[in-house]
PDB file of all heavy atoms in Angstrom:
ATOM      1  N   GLN A1023     -25.681  90.558  62.616  1.00 95.00           N
ATOM      2  CA  GLN A1023     -25.258  89.952  61.354  1.00 95.00           C
ATOM      3  C   GLN A1023     -24.782  88.528  61.639  1.00 95.00           C
ATOM      4  O   GLN A1023     -23.882  88.308  62.448  1.00 95.00           O
ATOM      5  CB  GLN A1023     -24.126  90.745  60.696  1.00 95.00           C
ATOM      6  CG  GLN A1023     -23.729  90.190  59.332  1.00 95.00           C
ATOM      7  CD  GLN A1023     -22.781  91.112  58.579  1.00 95.00           C
ATOM      8  OE1 GLN A1023     -21.592  91.108  58.840  1.00 95.00           O
ATOM      9  NE2 GLN A1023     -23.319  91.913  57.658  1.00 95.00           N
ATOM     10  N   THR A1024     -25.448  87.572  60.994  1.00 96.00           N
ATOM     11  CA  THR A1024     -25.095  86.162  61.150  1.00 96.00           C
ATOM     12  C   THR A1024     -24.477  85.666  59.857  1.00 96.00           C
ATOM     13  O   THR A1024     -25.054  85.849  58.781  1.00 96.00           O
ATOM     14  CB  THR A1024     -26.335  85.307  61.473  1.00 96.00           C
ATOM     15  OG1 THR A1024     -26.993  85.857  62.617  1.00 96.00           O
ATOM     16  CG2 THR A1024     -25.937  83.870  61.760  1.00 96.00           C
ATOM     17  N   VAL A1025     -23.308  85.042  59.959  1.00 93.00           N
ATOM     18  CA  VAL A1025     -22.646  84.472  58.785  1.00 93.00           C
ATOM     19  C   VAL A1025     -22.704  82.955  58.914  1.00 93.00           C
ATOM     20  O   VAL A1025     -21.979  82.354  59.715  1.00 93.00           O
ATOM     21  CB  VAL A1025     -21.180  84.950  58.671  1.00 93.00           C
ATOM     22  CG1 VAL A1025     -20.563  84.427  57.378  1.00 93.00           C
ATOM     23  CG2 VAL A1025     -21.090  86.465  58.739  1.00 93.00           C
ATOM     24  N   PHE A1026     -23.608  82.334  58.151  1.00 93.00           N
ATOM     25  CA  PHE A1026     -23.714  80.868  58.135  1.00 93.00           C
ATOM     26  C   PHE A1026     -22.665  80.315  57.173  1.00 93.00           C
ATOM     27  O   PHE A1026     -22.465  80.850  56.083  1.00 93.00           O
ATOM     28  CB  PHE A1026     -25.100  80.422  57.672  1.00 93.00           C
ATOM     29  CG  PHE A1026     -26.168  80.577  58.718  1.00 93.00           C
ATOM     30  CD1 PHE A1026     -27.073  81.631  58.646  1.00 93.00           C
ATOM     31  CD2 PHE A1026     -26.273  79.677  59.765  1.00 93.00           C
ATOM     32  CE1 PHE A1026     -28.064  81.781  59.606  1.00 93.00           C
ATOM     33  CE2 PHE A1026     -27.255  79.819  60.729  1.00 93.00           C
ATOM     34  CZ  PHE A1026     -28.157  80.874  60.652  1.00 93.00           C
ATOM     35  N   ILE A1027     -22.014  79.229  57.585  1.00 87.00           N
ATOM     36  CA  ILE A1027     -21.026  78.585  56.720  1.00 87.00           C
ATOM     37  C   ILE A1027     -21.497  77.167  56.408  1.00 87.00           C
ATOM     38  O   ILE A1027     -21.531  76.298  57.282  1.00 87.00           O
ATOM     39  CB  ILE A1027     -19.635  78.551  57.383  1.00 87.00           C
ATOM     40  CG1 ILE A1027     -19.196  79.972  57.751  1.00 87.00           C
ATOM     41  CG2 ILE A1027     -18.621  77.906  56.451  1.00 87.00           C
ATOM     42  CD1 ILE A1027     -17.883  80.035  58.508  1.00 87.00           C
ATOM     43  N   ASP A1028     -21.905  76.962  55.163  1.00 83.00           N
ATOM     44  CA  ASP A1028     -22.324  75.637  54.698  1.00 83.00           C
ATOM     45  C   ASP A1028     -21.057  74.859  54.358  1.00 83.00           C
ATOM     46  O   ASP A1028     -20.245  75.310  53.553  1.00 83.00           O
ATOM     47  CB  ASP A1028     -23.225  75.804  53.457  1.00 83.00           C
ATOM     48  CG  ASP A1028     -23.644  74.469  52.853  1.00 83.00           C
ATOM     49  OD1 ASP A1028     -23.602  73.451  53.573  1.00 83.00           O
ATOM     50  OD2 ASP A1028     -24.000  74.450  51.662  1.00 83.00           O
ATOM     51  N   THR A1029     -20.867  73.705  54.983  1.00 77.00           N
ATOM     52  CA  THR A1029     -19.640  72.937  54.796  1.00 77.00           C
ATOM     53  C   THR A1029     -19.907  71.637  54.034  1.00 77.00           C
ATOM     54  O   THR A1029     -21.025  71.139  54.024  1.00 77.00           O
ATOM     55  CB  THR A1029     -19.009  72.579  56.160  1.00 77.00           C
ATOM     56  OG1 THR A1029     -19.916  71.746  56.891  1.00 77.00           O
ATOM     57  CG2 THR A1029     -18.690  73.825  56.962  1.00 77.00           C
ATOM     58  N   PRO A1030     -18.859  71.075  53.402  1.00 73.00           N
ATOM     59  CA  PRO A1030     -19.026  69.762  52.757  1.00 73.00           C
ATOM     60  C   PRO A1030     -19.431  68.703  53.777  1.00 73.00           C
ATOM     61  O   PRO A1030     -19.061  68.792  54.951  1.00 73.00           O
ATOM     62  CB  PRO A1030     -17.629  69.469  52.195  1.00 73.00           C
ATOM     63  CG  PRO A1030     -16.963  70.800  52.080  1.00 73.00           C
ATOM     64  CD  PRO A1030     -17.506  71.623  53.213  1.00 73.00           C
ATOM     65  N   GLY A1031     -20.175  67.709  53.324  1.00 69.00           N
ATOM     66  CA  GLY A1031     -20.561  66.616  54.212  1.00 69.00           C
ATOM     67  C   GLY A1031     -19.338  65.863  54.713  1.00 69.00           C
ATOM     68  O   GLY A1031     -18.428  65.549  53.937  1.00 69.00           O
ATOM     69  N   ILE A1032     -19.306  65.587  56.007  1.00 72.00           N
ATOM     70  CA  ILE A1032     -18.161  64.891  56.605  1.00 72.00           C
ATOM     71  C   ILE A1032     -18.327  63.387  56.371  1.00 72.00           C
ATOM     72  O   ILE A1032     -19.341  62.803  56.753  1.00 72.00           O
ATOM     73  CB  ILE A1032     -18.056  65.222  58.106  1.00 72.00           C
ATOM     74  CG1 ILE A1032     -17.799  66.732  58.280  1.00 72.00           C
ATOM     75  CG2 ILE A1032     -16.958  64.409  58.769  1.00 72.00           C
ATOM     76  CD1 ILE A1032     -17.910  67.227  59.706  1.00 72.00           C
ATOM     77  N   HIS A1033     -17.331  62.787  55.732  1.00 60.00           N
ATOM     78  CA  HIS A1033     -17.419  61.370  55.366  1.00 60.00           C
ATOM     79  C   HIS A1033     -16.024  60.745  55.352  1.00 60.00           C
ATOM     80  O   HIS A1033     -15.027  61.457  55.463  1.00 60.00           O
ATOM     81  CB  HIS A1033     -18.060  61.222  53.979  1.00 60.00           C
ATOM     82  CG  HIS A1033     -17.251  61.873  52.892  1.00 60.00           C
ATOM     83  ND1 HIS A1033     -17.182  63.249  52.740  1.00 60.00           N
ATOM     84  CD2 HIS A1033     -16.462  61.353  51.923  1.00 60.00           C
ATOM     85  CE1 HIS A1033     -16.394  63.539  51.718  1.00 60.00           C
ATOM     86  NE2 HIS A1033     -15.930  62.411  51.205  1.00 60.00           N
ATOM     87  N   LYS A1034     -15.962  59.447  55.213  1.00 63.00           N
ATOM     88  CA  LYS A1034     -14.674  58.759  55.113  1.00 63.00           C
ATOM     89  C   LYS A1034     -14.143  58.938  53.694  1.00 63.00           C
ATOM     90  O   LYS A1034     -14.740  58.437  52.736  1.00 63.00           O
ATOM     91  CB  LYS A1034     -14.854  57.265  55.433  1.00 63.00           C
ATOM     92  CG  LYS A1034     -13.546  56.515  55.570  1.00 63.00           C
ATOM     93  CD  LYS A1034     -13.785  55.078  55.991  1.00 63.00           C
ATOM     94  CE  LYS A1034     -12.461  54.335  56.128  1.00 63.00           C
ATOM     95  NZ  LYS A1034     -12.663  52.935  56.548  1.00 63.00           N
ATOM     96  N   PRO A1035     -13.027  59.656  53.533  1.00 60.00           N
ATOM     97  CA  PRO A1035     -12.551  59.985  52.179  1.00 60.00           C
ATOM     98  C   PRO A1035     -12.048  58.772  51.395  1.00 60.00           C
ATOM     99  O   PRO A1035     -11.438  57.874  51.966  1.00 60.00           O
ATOM    100  CB  PRO A1035     -11.384  60.961  52.446  1.00 60.00           C
ATOM    101  CG  PRO A1035     -11.431  61.303  53.890  1.00 60.00           C
ATOM    102  CD  PRO A1035     -12.159  60.202  54.579  1.00 60.00           C
ATOM    103  N   LYS A1036     -12.313  58.804  50.086  1.00 63.00           N
ATOM    104  CA  LYS A1036     -11.829  57.735  49.205  1.00 63.00           C
ATOM    105  C   LYS A1036     -10.774  58.255  48.236  1.00 63.00           C
ATOM    106  O   LYS A1036     -10.188  57.493  47.485  1.00 63.00           O
ATOM    107  CB  LYS A1036     -13.009  57.138  48.416  1.00 63.00           C
ATOM    108  CG  LYS A1036     -14.022  56.412  49.296  1.00 63.00           C
ATOM    109  CD  LYS A1036     -15.156  55.852  48.466  1.00 63.00           C
ATOM    110  CE  LYS A1036     -16.181  55.134  49.341  1.00 63.00           C
ATOM    111  NZ  LYS A1036     -17.337  54.641  48.562  1.00 63.00           N
ATOM    112  N   HIS A1037     -10.561  59.575  48.222  1.00 63.00           N
ATOM    113  CA  HIS A1037      -9.569  60.173  47.330  1.00 63.00           C
ATOM    114  C   HIS A1037      -9.165  61.530  47.906  1.00 63.00           C
ATOM    115  O   HIS A1037      -9.701  61.962  48.932  1.00 63.00           O
ATOM    116  CB  HIS A1037     -10.121  60.319  45.903  1.00 63.00           C
ATOM    117  CG  HIS A1037     -11.555  60.745  45.855  1.00 63.00           C
ATOM    118  ND1 HIS A1037     -11.993  61.966  46.352  1.00 63.00           N
ATOM    119  CD2 HIS A1037     -12.665  60.117  45.405  1.00 63.00           C
ATOM    120  CE1 HIS A1037     -13.299  62.063  46.191  1.00 63.00           C
ATOM    121  NE2 HIS A1037     -13.731  60.957  45.633  1.00 63.00           N
ATOM    122  N   GLU A1038      -8.230  62.207  47.254  1.00 74.00           N
ATOM    123  CA  GLU A1038      -7.710  63.484  47.750  1.00 74.00           C
ATOM    124  C   GLU A1038      -8.807  64.554  47.827  1.00 74.00           C
ATOM    125  O   GLU A1038      -8.805  65.390  48.731  1.00 74.00           O
ATOM    126  CB  GLU A1038      -6.562  63.981  46.866  1.00 74.00           C
ATOM    127  CG  GLU A1038      -5.244  63.270  47.116  1.00 74.00           C
ATOM    128  CD  GLU A1038      -4.660  63.538  48.504  1.00 74.00           C
ATOM    129  OE1 GLU A1038      -4.848  64.647  49.039  1.00 74.00           O
ATOM    130  OE2 GLU A1038      -4.026  62.626  49.057  1.00 74.00           O
ATOM    131  N   LEU A1039      -9.728  64.547  46.862  1.00 69.00           N
ATOM    132  CA  LEU A1039     -10.828  65.514  46.906  1.00 69.00           C
ATOM    133  C   LEU A1039     -11.670  65.297  48.158  1.00 69.00           C
ATOM    134  O   LEU A1039     -12.028  66.250  48.858  1.00 69.00           O
ATOM    135  CB  LEU A1039     -11.697  65.406  45.650  1.00 69.00           C
ATOM    136  CG  LEU A1039     -12.963  66.290  45.635  1.00 69.00           C
ATOM    137  CD1 LEU A1039     -12.601  67.773  45.723  1.00 69.00           C
ATOM    138  CD2 LEU A1039     -13.800  66.015  44.388  1.00 69.00           C
ATOM    139  N   GLY A1040     -11.980  64.038  48.460  1.00 65.00           N
ATOM    140  CA  GLY A1040     -12.764  63.719  49.658  1.00 65.00           C
ATOM    141  C   GLY A1040     -12.047  64.139  50.924  1.00 65.00           C
ATOM    142  O   GLY A1040     -12.657  64.646  51.871  1.00 65.00           O
ATOM    143  N   LYS A1041     -10.730  63.956  50.954  1.00 70.00           N
ATOM    144  CA  LYS A1041      -9.933  64.357  52.122  1.00 70.00           C
ATOM    145  C   LYS A1041      -9.975  65.874  52.284  1.00 70.00           C
ATOM    146  O   LYS A1041     -10.133  66.394  53.394  1.00 70.00           O
ATOM    147  CB  LYS A1041      -8.494  63.874  51.958  1.00 70.00           C
ATOM    148  CG  LYS A1041      -7.603  64.161  53.170  1.00 70.00           C
ATOM    149  CD  LYS A1041      -6.203  63.592  52.956  1.00 70.00           C
ATOM    150  CE  LYS A1041      -5.337  63.797  54.204  1.00 70.00           C
ATOM    151  NZ  LYS A1041      -5.203  65.206  54.584  1.00 70.00           N
ATOM    152  N   PHE A1042      -9.827  66.598  51.166  1.00 71.00           N
ATOM    153  CA  PHE A1042      -9.900  68.065  51.204  1.00 71.00           C
ATOM    154  C   PHE A1042     -11.243  68.516  51.775  1.00 71.00           C
ATOM    155  O   PHE A1042     -11.311  69.391  52.636  1.00 71.00           O
ATOM    156  CB  PHE A1042      -9.709  68.633  49.790  1.00 71.00           C
ATOM    157  CG  PHE A1042     -10.231  70.033  49.618  1.00 71.00           C
ATOM    158  CD1 PHE A1042      -9.526  71.121  50.121  1.00 71.00           C
ATOM    159  CD2 PHE A1042     -11.443  70.261  48.973  1.00 71.00           C
ATOM    160  CE1 PHE A1042     -10.022  72.416  49.986  1.00 71.00           C
ATOM    161  CE2 PHE A1042     -11.940  71.549  48.830  1.00 71.00           C
ATOM    162  CZ  PHE A1042     -11.228  72.629  49.337  1.00 71.00           C
ATOM    163  N   MET A1043     -12.325  67.897  51.313  1.00 65.00           N
ATOM    164  CA  MET A1043     -13.671  68.288  51.734  1.00 65.00           C
ATOM    165  C   MET A1043     -13.877  68.056  53.235  1.00 65.00           C
ATOM    166  O   MET A1043     -14.384  68.925  53.950  1.00 65.00           O
ATOM    167  CB  MET A1043     -14.712  67.510  50.917  1.00 65.00           C
ATOM    168  CG  MET A1043     -14.786  67.943  49.462  1.00 65.00           C
ATOM    169  SD  MET A1043     -15.507  66.673  48.382  1.00 65.00           S
ATOM    170  CE  MET A1043     -17.131  66.477  49.077  1.00 65.00           C
ATOM    171  N   THR A1044     -13.479  66.867  53.709  1.00 70.00           N
ATOM    172  CA  THR A1044     -13.660  66.536  55.129  1.00 70.00           C
ATOM    173  C   THR A1044     -12.783  67.403  56.017  1.00 70.00           C
ATOM    174  O   THR A1044     -13.223  67.911  57.057  1.00 70.00           O
ATOM    175  CB  THR A1044     -13.385  65.040  55.361  1.00 70.00           C
ATOM    176  OG1 THR A1044     -14.365  64.272  54.643  1.00 70.00           O
ATOM    177  CG2 THR A1044     -13.478  64.679  56.828  1.00 70.00           C
ATOM    178  N   ASP A1045     -11.518  67.602  55.604  1.00 72.00           N
ATOM    179  CA  ASP A1045     -10.612  68.471  56.373  1.00 72.00           C
ATOM    180  C   ASP A1045     -11.142  69.897  56.448  1.00 72.00           C
ATOM    181  O   ASP A1045     -11.037  70.564  57.479  1.00 72.00           O
ATOM    182  CB  ASP A1045      -9.211  68.480  55.742  1.00 72.00           C
ATOM    183  CG  ASP A1045      -8.464  67.162  55.941  1.00 72.00           C
ATOM    184  OD1 ASP A1045      -8.944  66.323  56.733  1.00 72.00           O
ATOM    185  OD2 ASP A1045      -7.411  66.972  55.300  1.00 72.00           O
ATOM    186  N   LEU A1046     -11.723  70.352  55.339  1.00 73.00           N
ATOM    187  CA  LEU A1046     -12.275  71.711  55.280  1.00 73.00           C
ATOM    188  C   LEU A1046     -13.416  71.862  56.282  1.00 73.00           C
ATOM    189  O   LEU A1046     -13.484  72.837  57.032  1.00 73.00           O
ATOM    190  CB  LEU A1046     -12.783  71.994  53.859  1.00 73.00           C
ATOM    191  CG  LEU A1046     -13.144  73.433  53.505  1.00 73.00           C
ATOM    192  CD1 LEU A1046     -11.893  74.302  53.443  1.00 73.00           C
ATOM    193  CD2 LEU A1046     -13.868  73.473  52.166  1.00 73.00           C
ATOM    194  N   ALA A1047     -14.316  70.873  56.299  1.00 71.00           N
ATOM    195  CA  ALA A1047     -15.472  70.925  57.204  1.00 71.00           C
ATOM    196  C   ALA A1047     -15.039  70.872  58.664  1.00 71.00           C
ATOM    197  O   ALA A1047     -15.494  71.665  59.499  1.00 71.00           O
ATOM    198  CB  ALA A1047     -16.437  69.788  56.892  1.00 71.00           C
ATOM    199  N   LEU A1048     -14.141  69.950  58.990  1.00 73.00           N
ATOM    200  CA  LEU A1048     -13.686  69.804  60.377  1.00 73.00           C
ATOM    201  C   LEU A1048     -12.867  71.011  60.827  1.00 73.00           C
ATOM    202  O   LEU A1048     -12.950  71.443  61.974  1.00 73.00           O
ATOM    203  CB  LEU A1048     -12.867  68.518  60.536  1.00 73.00           C
ATOM    204  CG  LEU A1048     -13.655  67.207  60.382  1.00 73.00           C
ATOM    205  CD1 LEU A1048     -12.712  66.010  60.385  1.00 73.00           C
ATOM    206  CD2 LEU A1048     -14.702  67.066  61.487  1.00 73.00           C
ATOM    207  N   GLY A1049     -12.086  71.573  59.897  1.00 75.00           N
ATOM    208  CA  GLY A1049     -11.285  72.755  60.220  1.00 75.00           C
ATOM    209  C   GLY A1049     -12.142  73.957  60.564  1.00 75.00           C
ATOM    210  O   GLY A1049     -11.745  74.819  61.357  1.00 75.00           O
ATOM    211  N   THR A1050     -13.335  74.012  59.997  1.00 80.00           N
ATOM    212  CA  THR A1050     -14.247  75.131  60.244  1.00 80.00           C
ATOM    213  C   THR A1050     -14.684  75.191  61.708  1.00 80.00           C
ATOM    214  O   THR A1050     -14.973  76.271  62.238  1.00 80.00           O
ATOM    215  CB  THR A1050     -15.497  75.002  59.335  1.00 80.00           C
ATOM    216  OG1 THR A1050     -15.065  74.897  57.976  1.00 80.00           O
ATOM    217  CG2 THR A1050     -16.417  76.196  59.465  1.00 80.00           C
ATOM    218  N   LEU A1051     -14.725  74.041  62.375  1.00 83.00           N
ATOM    219  CA  LEU A1051     -15.193  73.984  63.763  1.00 83.00           C
ATOM    220  C   LEU A1051     -14.378  74.890  64.685  1.00 83.00           C
ATOM    221  O   LEU A1051     -14.892  75.381  65.688  1.00 83.00           O
ATOM    222  CB  LEU A1051     -15.133  72.545  64.280  1.00 83.00           C
ATOM    223  CG  LEU A1051     -16.021  71.520  63.562  1.00 83.00           C
ATOM    224  CD1 LEU A1051     -15.766  70.129  64.121  1.00 83.00           C
ATOM    225  CD2 LEU A1051     -17.493  71.890  63.682  1.00 83.00           C
ATOM    226  N   ASN A1052     -13.128  75.102  64.342  1.00 80.00           N
ATOM    227  CA  ASN A1052     -12.248  75.910  65.196  1.00 80.00           C
ATOM    228  C   ASN A1052     -12.268  77.394  64.838  1.00 80.00           C
ATOM    229  O   ASN A1052     -11.595  78.189  65.491  1.00 80.00           O
ATOM    230  CB  ASN A1052     -10.811  75.382  65.094  1.00 80.00           C
ATOM    231  CG  ASN A1052     -10.708  73.912  65.454  1.00 80.00           C
ATOM    232  OD1 ASN A1052     -11.286  73.483  66.445  1.00 80.00           O
ATOM    233  ND2 ASN A1052      -9.993  73.141  64.655  1.00 80.00           N
ATOM    234  N   GLU A1053     -13.023  77.745  63.785  1.00 84.00           N
ATOM    235  CA  GLU A1053     -12.976  79.123  63.288  1.00 84.00           C
ATOM    236  C   GLU A1053     -14.263  79.899  63.556  1.00 84.00           C
ATOM    237  O   GLU A1053     -14.364  81.068  63.179  1.00 84.00           O
ATOM    238  CB  GLU A1053     -12.726  79.111  61.765  1.00 84.00           C
ATOM    239  CG  GLU A1053     -11.467  78.370  61.347  1.00 84.00           C
ATOM    240  CD  GLU A1053     -11.427  78.102  59.855  1.00 84.00           C
ATOM    241  OE1 GLU A1053     -12.415  78.423  59.161  1.00 84.00           O
ATOM    242  OE2 GLU A1053     -10.409  77.573  59.368  1.00 84.00           O
ATOM    243  N   VAL A1054     -15.260  79.263  64.170  1.00 89.00           N
ATOM    244  CA  VAL A1054     -16.583  79.884  64.272  1.00 89.00           C
ATOM    245  C   VAL A1054     -16.980  80.171  65.721  1.00 89.00           C
ATOM    246  O   VAL A1054     -16.315  79.758  66.663  1.00 89.00           O
ATOM    247  CB  VAL A1054     -17.661  78.991  63.615  1.00 89.00           C
ATOM    248  CG1 VAL A1054     -17.407  78.863  62.122  1.00 89.00           C
ATOM    249  CG2 VAL A1054     -17.696  77.611  64.277  1.00 89.00           C
ATOM    250  N   ASP A1055     -18.102  80.883  65.869  1.00 93.00           N
ATOM    251  CA  ASP A1055     -18.610  81.256  67.186  1.00 93.00           C
ATOM    252  C   ASP A1055     -19.702  80.300  67.672  1.00 93.00           C
ATOM    253  O   ASP A1055     -20.069  80.312  68.845  1.00 93.00           O
ATOM    254  CB  ASP A1055     -19.181  82.680  67.128  1.00 93.00           C
ATOM    255  CG  ASP A1055     -18.146  83.667  66.613  1.00 93.00           C
ATOM    256  OD1 ASP A1055     -17.144  83.866  67.308  1.00 93.00           O
ATOM    257  OD2 ASP A1055     -18.322  84.217  65.512  1.00 93.00           O
ATOM    258  N   MET A1056     -20.220  79.498  66.746  1.00 94.00           N
ATOM    259  CA  MET A1056     -21.328  78.603  67.070  1.00 94.00           C
ATOM    260  C   MET A1056     -21.362  77.485  66.023  1.00 94.00           C
ATOM    261  O   MET A1056     -20.960  77.695  64.882  1.00 94.00           O
ATOM    262  CB  MET A1056     -22.638  79.410  67.002  1.00 94.00           C
ATOM    263  CG  MET A1056     -23.811  78.861  67.769  1.00 94.00           C
ATOM    264  SD  MET A1056     -25.283  79.924  67.509  1.00 94.00           S
ATOM    265  CE  MET A1056     -24.635  81.564  67.853  1.00 94.00           C
ATOM    266  N   VAL A1057     -21.853  76.307  66.415  1.00 93.00           N
ATOM    267  CA  VAL A1057     -21.937  75.179  65.479  1.00 93.00           C
ATOM    268  C   VAL A1057     -23.359  74.638  65.464  1.00 93.00           C
ATOM    269  O   VAL A1057     -23.974  74.434  66.514  1.00 93.00           O
ATOM    270  CB  VAL A1057     -20.963  74.044  65.869  1.00 93.00           C
ATOM    271  CG1 VAL A1057     -21.128  72.848  64.936  1.00 93.00           C
ATOM    272  CG2 VAL A1057     -19.520  74.535  65.831  1.00 93.00           C
ATOM    273  N   MET A1058     -23.877  74.415  64.262  1.00 94.00           N
ATOM    274  CA  MET A1058     -25.158  73.752  64.064  1.00 94.00           C
ATOM    275  C   MET A1058     -24.867  72.376  63.464  1.00 94.00           C
ATOM    276  O   MET A1058     -24.408  72.281  62.324  1.00 94.00           O
ATOM    277  CB  MET A1058     -26.050  74.549  63.102  1.00 94.00           C
ATOM    278  CG  MET A1058     -26.454  75.908  63.613  1.00 94.00           C
ATOM    279  SD  MET A1058     -27.864  75.782  64.706  1.00 94.00           S
ATOM    280  CE  MET A1058     -27.849  77.405  65.466  1.00 94.00           C
ATOM    281  N   PHE A1059     -25.093  71.314  64.254  1.00 95.00           N
ATOM    282  CA  PHE A1059     -24.883  69.953  63.775  1.00 95.00           C
ATOM    283  C   PHE A1059     -26.201  69.440  63.223  1.00 95.00           C
ATOM    284  O   PHE A1059     -27.159  69.222  63.956  1.00 95.00           O
ATOM    285  CB  PHE A1059     -24.387  69.070  64.917  1.00 95.00           C
ATOM    286  CG  PHE A1059     -24.395  67.592  64.604  1.00 95.00           C
ATOM    287  CD1 PHE A1059     -23.893  67.116  63.401  1.00 95.00           C
ATOM    288  CD2 PHE A1059     -24.903  66.672  65.516  1.00 95.00           C
ATOM    289  CE1 PHE A1059     -23.901  65.756  63.112  1.00 95.00           C
ATOM    290  CE2 PHE A1059     -24.911  65.310  65.243  1.00 95.00           C
ATOM    291  CZ  PHE A1059     -24.411  64.854  64.030  1.00 95.00           C
ATOM    292  N   MET A1060     -26.250  69.270  61.903  1.00 95.00           N
ATOM    293  CA  MET A1060     -27.497  68.887  61.242  1.00 95.00           C
ATOM    294  C   MET A1060     -27.547  67.395  60.961  1.00 95.00           C
ATOM    295  O   MET A1060     -26.572  66.801  60.490  1.00 95.00           O
ATOM    296  CB  MET A1060     -27.672  69.676  59.937  1.00 95.00           C
ATOM    297  CG  MET A1060     -29.014  69.466  59.277  1.00 95.00           C
ATOM    298  SD  MET A1060     -29.269  70.565  57.836  1.00 95.00           S
ATOM    299  CE  MET A1060     -29.471  72.151  58.640  1.00 95.00           C
TER     300      MET A1060
END
């Protein structure tokens, strides 16, 4: 069983929503067993 996690695009945030999205994506790196950098 493979659980793929699609994350928000990592970018330089311009507002709080952008910061949330980037933090969410980067935070995922520490929670998984493997990373696919696309």
Side-chain angles (χ1 to χ4, degrees):
Q1023 184 170 81
T1024 306
V1025 185
F1026 284 103
I1027 303 176
D1028 177 21
T1029 63
I1032 297 170
H1033 62 287
K1034 189 176 180 180
K1036 294 180 181 177
H1037 40 63
E1038 283 294 327
L1039 175 61
K1041 184 177 184 301
F1042 160 76
M1043 289 158 61
T1044 296
D1045 289 349
L1046 192 69
L1048 292 173
T1050 305
L1051 297 176
N1052 303 315
E1053 304 167 356
V1054 296
D1055 304 294
M1056 202 182 310
V1057 176
M1058 296 277 166
F1059 169 46
M1060 187 173 289

